[in-house]
Amino acid sequence: MAFSKIEKFTKKDIWLADIAKALSHPARIKILKILAGMNACMCGDIVELLPLSQSTVSQHLKELKRVGLITGEIEGPKVCYCINNANLQKAKSEINKLFNQVFEC
Amino acid sequence: MAFSKIEKFTKKDIWLADIAKALSHPARIKILKILAGMNACMCGDIVELLPLSQSTVSQHLKELKRVGLITGEIEGPKVCYCINNANLQKAKSEINKLFNQVFEC
DNA sequence: TATATCTATCGTATATTTACGATTAACGAT
DNA sequence: ATCGTTAATCGTAAATATACGATAGATATA
């Protein structure tokens, strides 16, 4: 790769691509669904619901947190993960906007 | 990585992740917007609109074609790329479904 | 205070992605 | 038939992602 060319694109496109990247692994899709199904937030029993090790799940959670789709609050010895509804809403609407923009061809 | 665990997830989640992966680079987001702006399909002058080499753009086009978001028809010595509206529509609605599913928490 | 539990991080191995230049293949025009 | 144009593919290098076990840090409980 020598050097990444990512900085040559618009902030918006970089942001959209970054959200898409966070959604680009089935484990992370599943984590979002699990967190939704719990309706209150929940801690890392997520690990038991995924066919992956604790450390790998932790990495996937970190990636979702990085783009702001979830939050993780320390609660005693556990960590309580939640969907970040505001950011999810923003992601949804921006992705929709992209699709609509691409449709009008 | 030793072995990928992707086959341990549902077909639907794998498919969603795959679409997201195709959208996970700003060059591919921009390519979709370019193709939309042309409203008829167009050939690889896309290259001139991107800060990337011809071979790199070709790889990005291949990735978008792989997941079916665009089509590429040979037209003489050129290749004419188009948005695949049906597949784009499907992607849009499934991603929306995912977001709505995750919201109801 | 010692112990058990939970989760992030470190170190590491392997796979995949990104990017480029060079080459090849396919075609139209001369 | 040759030449120029277009775009895919090959070979390669470097960056990033995926996955795990081991370890470390934080905390609740005994």
Side-chain angles (χ1 to χ4, degrees):
Chain A
M1 210 193 295
F3 283 114
S4 168
K5 295 291 186 69
I6 281 185
E7 74 290 339
K8 302 244 188 160
F9 297 91
T10 66
K11 294 246 188 245
K12 184 76 133 203
D13 285 355
I14 293 169
W15 179 81
L16 277 167
D18 214 30
I19 293 291
K21 187 151 68 76
L23 299 174
S24 74
H25 194 290
R28 294 193 290 266
I29 300 270
K30 191 167 180 190
I31 288 172
L32 290 178
K33 288 181 177 175
I34 290 169
L35 290 180
M38 298 294 174
N39 96 346
C41 47
M42 67 158 287
C43 41
D45 322 61
I46 301 168
V47 175
E48 289 176 26
L49 297 171
L50 292 178
L52 298 170
S53 75
Q54 182 267 319
S55 58
T56 302
V57 172
S58 191
Q59 276 182 104
H60 284 305
L61 288 166
K62 192 180 179 183
E63 171 69 7
L64 287 170
K65 225 168 31 172
R66 184 185 65 81
V67 297
L69 290 179
I70 65 174
T71 59
E73 309 262 321
I74 294 166
E75 208 174 71
K78 306 188 179 183
V79 175
C80 182
Y81 282 101
C82 285
I83 298 292
N84 184 326
N85 276 299
N87 288 350
L88 198 73
Q89 179 60 58
K90 190 187 170 204
K92 181 192 173 187
S93 88
E94 291 298 332
I95 290 174
N96 251 304
K97 224 183 274 181
L98 170 68
F99 277 120
N100 289 335
Q101 201 176 333
V102 175
F103 275 128
E104 68 191 5
C105 78
Chain B
M1 208 193 301
F3 282 115
S4 167
K5 295 291 188 66
I6 281 185
E7 74 291 337
K8 302 242 185 160
F9 296 90
T10 66
K11 295 244 186 246
K12 183 76 131 202
D13 286 354
I14 293 168
W15 180 81
L16 276 167
D18 214 31
I19 293 291
K21 186 151 68 76
L23 299 174
S24 75
H25 194 289
R28 294 194 290 268
I29 301 269
K30 189 166 180 189
I31 287 171
L32 290 178
K33 288 179 178 176
I34 290 169
L35 290 179
M38 297 296 172
N39 96 346
C41 47
M42 68 158 284
C43 41
D45 322 61
I46 302 168
V47 174
E48 289 177 26
L49 297 172
L50 293 177
L52 298 169
S53 74
Q54 182 267 319
S55 58
T56 302
V57 171
S58 192
Q59 276 180 105
H60 284 305
L61 287 166
K62 192 180 179 183
E63 172 69 7
L64 287 169
K65 226 167 34 171
R66 183 185 65 82
V67 298
L69 290 179
I70 65 173
T71 59
E73 312 261 320
I74 293 166
E75 209 175 73
K78 305 189 179 184
V79 175
C80 182
Y81 283 101
C82 285
I83 297 292
N84 184 326
N85 276 299
N87 288 350
L88 198 74
Q89 180 60 58
K90 192 189 169 203
K92 182 192 172 186
S93 88
E94 291 298 332
I95 290 174
N96 252 303
K97 224 184 274 181
L98 170 68
F99 277 119
N100 289 335
Q101 201 177 332
V102 175
F103 276 127
E104 67 191 6
C105 77

